[in-house]
Amino acid sequence: MSSPKTYDVIILGAGGAGLMCAAVAGRRGRRVLVIDHADQPGRKILISGGGRCNFTNINTAPDRFLSANRHFMKSALSRYTAQDFIDLVNRYGIAWHEKTLGQLFCDQSARQIVDMLMAECADAGVEVALGKAVSELARDDSASGEAPYSMRLGLDRLRARSLVVATGGPSIPKMGATGFAYEVARKFGLKVVEPRPALVPFTLGGTQILFRELSGVSADVIASCGKTSFREAALFTHRGLSGPAILQISSYWQHGQDIAIDFLPGLPPEWLVEQKRDRPKIHMATALGSLMPDRLATTLADKIGLGGELANLPDRKLAGASTRLHRWAFSPNGTEGFAKAEVTAGGVSTADLSSKTMEAKKIPGLYFIGEGVDVTGWLGGYNFQWAWASGVAAGAVA
Ligand code: FDA
């Protein structure tokens, strides 16, 4: 049998985290191989941000990430910042713009980000093997210090000093997403925080589906779950609720919890009473129609059931309506699941990883980066910033 090909670093997964890690390790003079079972690198980058890739967020801060350990992401995010990635994008002359809430997008195409990362890898002498999956992954403790990680790739046997698992999470399986990172983690005795779909639309069932007729309507709302709230657009769908405010709050939601929607965001409780004083002849639907799409205004007015001119409605009833409009509770019966989730929350437990290097505390040379780790960002470029930052953290030492 031929002798194995030996690398310093083998990285599984040619997504954002894996490619970033590869480029950084390659520049340090490491012999690096990146392996992906997909035929092309960075497929999620290509479809992200509607094809324009929301590649970072200038408001990146640790409190915009979920994890069992809310401090874990601090080290990597502080050592590779949004500005560092902007500098890289600028060096490649990629034009970009801020869309909203600090979200940065390519002016032209997400393809430019993948091409940039591939160029960085090529400059750093990184080898990339696409369309191939590894098997027989193992660690030989007696070979530690040499190249303890071994695996098979097609007919080749490979060995590596370090193994970086950058295979992401299982969201959007039809794109080749897998829970492989968790399999590897468990195989080596690391814990996995129960993975769950995040940044995902809600489904509503039974009596909760009262807004089905509004499918396609969107409105500015505050969506809340427990103590967490997001003010952005919500979109009614034929199955439930979507839109940025809903995707954001979904990451914080657990089965059985209510979601409260504020349809009068930023308005004082006495707003309806003020409307009555200022425009006594109008009806509730007209008052609400000045704030939101007519179809939604009419539906909400119907549900509240206060007909006629505002002038004829007692202040007490208007105050009650206002309370309801500020806190309209829904009980989602579930989410659209991994098939539609933009990311996976949970993942390889941060308790078993170094926050500085992403290396497994008890297994030298084994690293986990990107979405496979129990760190999940808000909607808006935060997840890519985590992919870049965790990739750089591991690439600097692997
Ligand atoms: P990623 O999933 O990108 O890469 C993992 C790689 O591993 C893939 O190439 C996969 O083929 C490979 N792989 C999996 N299993 C394997 C195996 N067993 N063997 C070999 N290879 C394997 N975030 C953001 O910040 N801004 C945005 O605009 C968007 N937009 C967006 C849109 C949509 C539709 C989705 C689904 C997601 C987003 N995201 C996003 C989230 C973002 O795409 C995600 O967080 C990152 O791509 C995660 O990067 P990773 O490198 O960790 O995993």
Side-chain angles (χ1 to χ4, degrees), residues 258-273:
D258 272 359
I259 296 295
I261 305 282
D262 183 350
F263 286 112
L264 306 178
L267 291 178
E270 51 285 344
W271 181 78
L272 274 175
V273 174

Side-chain angles (χ1 to χ4, degrees), residues 136-151 159-161 187-188 363-364:
E136 298 173 30
L137 187 60
R139 183 176 200 284
D140 174 3
D141 281 323
S142 63
S144 59
E146 296 300 315
Y149 294 95
S150 64
M151 67 206 77
R159 294 198 78 92
R161 203 180 284 262
K187 179 182 169 71
F188 288 105
I363 316 280

Side-chain angles (χ1 to χ4, degrees), residues 111-252:
R111 160 77 53 198
Q112 294 172 292
I113 299 293
V114 176
D115 290 348
M116 174 188 83
L117 294 170
M118 290 302 282
E120 284 285 290
C121 284
D123 274 0
V126 171
E127 284 180 47
V128 182
L130 298 172
K132 294 179 186 166
V134 297
S135 58
E136 298 173 30
L137 187 60
R139 183 176 200 284
D140 174 3
D141 281 323
S142 63
S144 59
E146 296 300 315
Y149 294 95
S150 64
M151 67 206 77
R152 189 171 280 284
L153 184 69
L155 295 177
D156 292 330
R157 283 188 306 129
L158 307 176
R159 294 198 78 92
R161 203 180 284 262
S162 299
L163 176 68
V164 182
V165 183
T167 51
S171 48
I172 323 269
K174 71 172 185 211
M175 295 195 60
T178 67
F180 184 71
Y182 316 144
E183 277 173 47
V184 179
R186 291 192 181 108
K187 179 182 169 71
F188 288 105
L190 279 72
K191 289 186 286 302
V192 174
V193 175
E194 184 61 24
R196 60 181 203 281
L199 299 181
V200 63
F202 285 131
T203 55
L204 302 173
T207 55
Q208 301 288 340
I209 195 76
L210 30 131
F211 292 106
R212 183 178 274 151
E213 67 273 21
L214 292 177
S215 179
V217 171
S218 94
D220 176 30
V221 303
I222 298 173
S224 307
C225 181
K227 290 185 177 148
T228 309
S229 303
F230 291 95
R231 179 171 180 173
E232 280 187 71
L235 170 71
F236 295 94
T237 71
H238 64 288
R239 287 164 57 91
L241 280 169
S242 187
I246 299 299
L247 299 183
Q248 295 279 35
I249 206 70
S250 74
S251 301
Y252 291 83

Side-chain angles (χ1 to χ4, degrees), residues 327 391 393:
R327 212 179 154 72

